Every structure is written in C-alpha cells, then in structure tokens.
Amino acid sequence: MRSKIVAGNWKMNKKFDEADELLYQISEELSNNPLKDVQLVVCPPSLYLELATDFAESSDLKIGAQNVSHQKSGAYTGELSVEMLNSVDVEYCIIGHSERRKYFSESSEMLAQKVDNLLEFGIEPIFCIGEQLDDREAGNHFDLVKKQLSEGLFHLSASEFSNIVVAYEPVWAIGTGVTASPKQAQEMHAFIRGVISEKYGSDIAEETTIIYGGSCNAKNAKELFSNKDVDGGLIGGASLIAKDFINIANSF
Ligand code: PGA
C-alpha cells in the first residue's frame, strides 16, 4: 500500500518565535492525537530546519526543506546543499514548486540535478508539477504535466523513482482560494499514475504517492482525499495554523 502524506509548505512565513510556537503546537497535537496511516511533513523556511528536526525527534513529524541548490558544494553564495540538509536530518525536500519555476527561473535540467543530489543523500523529493490556467483553458494541461514529469524525473531508474513523491499543483489553484474540483484532481492524478505506469510499470505506479496542492484546506480536504488516486496534500496557507493542518491530515 502506498503511503499517504500531508506536507505543509510554510513558504516565506513566520518569524523565529512564531515558527517555534507553531512547531510546538503541531507536535503537541500529534502526541495527543497520533495520526493513523498518514505521514505528516512540515517544510519550514531553511533557517528553522534544525529547530524543526529537533521537534521531530520526539514526535511522528518529519521535516522537509522547501528548496536546495542544484550544486553540490562550494562558492555559491546564499545557497544550501543537500549535504547540509542531510546533516540536520531533513528527510524531504520540495522540488520544482511553481513559485521557484516562475520567480527563480528553475529549469527542468536544474530540477533533475536537484533530484539526483537528494536521492544520493536519501532525502525524498516532493516533486511539483502543474499547469497554468492558460494551459488548462487551451486543453494543454495533460501534455504539460507529462512534459514536466518526464523532463524532471524520467532519467531515474525504477528503484530511484520509487523514492519520489509527486505533487500535482495546478498553478491557478495555489494561494487563490480556488481549488481544483475533486473530479479535476482525480482525473489528473489518474493521468499522472498512468504516465508513470507507461514508463516504470504498474507496480511502481501503484506505489507512487501523488499528493494534491492548491488551496487545499480543512473544509475541502476530505472530498479531495476521498479520490482513489489522491494520496494526500501539499498545503500552503492552511498549514500555518496547527489545528487546520492536523485536521487536514485527519481527512482521509
Ligand atoms: P496553498 O499553497 O495551499 O496556499 O494554495 C499550496 C502550495 O503552494 O504548495
């Protein structure tokens, strides 16, 4: 059975004290009401990763980074390497989020390089794909998603691919309050699983966790997660409130 994952992407939010408080609240909620069959992941700003992995030591929480350099080490001012993430026990890393593709011009080659570096250190990439509204309106959304998937990931061997979490995030739903309908989400998740199956076979496709992101919240999570190919969520805004985040994780 493939794993279910709910991951919180804090983006560029929370000062140190607030981050500390939110991590405390999430850990408390988790120890009072342990989750069943779902892995909770928090992806705070990199400045708080070590703080977060300290919290995670005594709870079921796992910690992810929001980004990592495609370079391995050296003179790259301002960057963080995979080795550094590994040295503070980070276990996941979001790769190819649409905000990074858009504002930081991250190319597919760069993303593929990041994925390779992460896998070398045993960190699981949460690899984001998703179309713009224009693509969907023009009917190009399936082609686009397939292209992102193949350019970023299909150089991997089958055993490497089995460590990937795919996040489908339609860009028009991110931070907009407009969520993909459960039908749209299921349709695209099933398509993604089909593309993975063509490349790696049905066993690997069935084992791949595919999560949904884009204005997923405590109110709509249940309906989204009830679809057979939706294995959880990548949550932005709603992951900044401990109760909402935990409620989402309890929505299966
Ligand atoms: P949102 O963000 O839940 O605030 O729409 C999701 C994401 O960008 O991962």
Side-chain angles (χ1 to χ4, degrees):
M1 257 257 299
R2 56 183 177 258
S3 350
K4 293 182 165 58
I5 295 178
V6 169
N9 175 10
W10 290 9
K11 309 193 181 185
M12 197 170 70
N13 290 295
K14 302 288 177 193
K15 291 181 283 185
F16 185 88
D17 288 355
E18 297 165 342
D20 191 36
E21 176 65 21
L22 180 52
L23 285 162
Y24 172 77
Q25 290 172 352
I26 294 170
S27 317
E28 279 291 292
E29 289 273 351
L30 269 188
S31 52
N32 294 338
N33 298 302
L35 292 169
K36 279 187 236 88
D37 307 325
V38 48
Q39 180 59 60
L40 201 66
V41 180
V42 166
C43 305
S46 51
L47 183 62
Y48 313 140
L49 283 170
E50 199 190 350
L51 173 74
T53 54
D54 280 351
F55 271 101
E57 255 177 43
S58 51
S59 74
D60 287 338
L61 195 58
K62 292 203 187 286
I63 304 303
Q66 296 175 18
N67 180 38
V68 68
S69 173
H70 63 293
Q71 302 289 356
K72 286 203 165 166
S73 70
Y76 299 101
T77 302
E79 290 290 88
L80 285 180
S81 72
V82 168
E83 198 173 19
M84 292 173 193
L85 297 185
N86 179 249
S87 72
V88 294
D89 300 325
V90 166
E91 292 182 76
Y92 290 87
C93 183
I94 300 171
I95 294 294
H97 190 281
S98 61
E99 287 151 16
R100 297 220 54 93
R101 291 180 192 256
K102 178 173 175 198
Y103 302 125
F104 303 94
S105 308
E106 295 194 352
S107 65
S108 290
E109 296 75 49
M110 216 186 255
L111 301 181
Q113 187 62 57
K114 292 181 185 210
V115 166
D116 290 347
N117 295 347
L118 287 169
L119 292 179
E120 195 182 321
F121 280 86
I123 299 176
E124 289 195 32
I126 300 176
F127 193 85
C128 303
I129 52 180
E131 81 284 357
Q132 306 275 347
L133 188 57
D134 289 357
D135 301 312
R136 182 166 277 267
E137 284 174 350
N140 295 334
H141 45 306
F142 293 114
D143 287 349
L144 195 270
V145 160
K146 185 173 183 177
K147 185 168 184 285
Q148 290 174 335
L149 205 54
S150 58
E151 287 181 354
L153 297 175
F154 284 1
H155 62 289
L156 299 175
S157 69
S159 72
E160 286 169 335
F161 189 86
S162 58
N163 296 303
I164 301 289
V165 175
V166 175
Y168 168 59
E169 298 204 299
V171 180
W172 46 271
I174 296 177
T176 58
V178 180
T179 318
S181 68
K183 188 164 167 272
Q184 286 171 321
Q186 168 57 27
E187 180 183 46
M188 184 57 91
H189 282 231
F191 172 77
I192 292 167
R193 204 176 300 289
V195 173
I196 296 169
S197 178
E198 273 169 31
K199 169 76 183 168
Y200 293 108
S202 59
D203 287 357
I204 296 223
E206 280 306 312
E207 284 303 308
T208 303
T209 297
I210 307 175
I211 59 179
Y212 168 82
S215 299
C216 180
N217 58 40
K219 291 205 180 93
N220 59 30
K222 209 174 191 66
E223 227 191 326
L224 285 161
F225 297 174
S226 66
N227 291 288
K228 98 179 199 326
D229 289 293
V230 179
D231 307 315
L234 181 54
I235 319 297
S239 73
L240 298 171
I241 298 161
K243 265 206 161 20
D244 285 0
F245 186 46
I246 301 281
N247 281 341
I248 293 171
N250 276 313
S251 298
F252 289 95

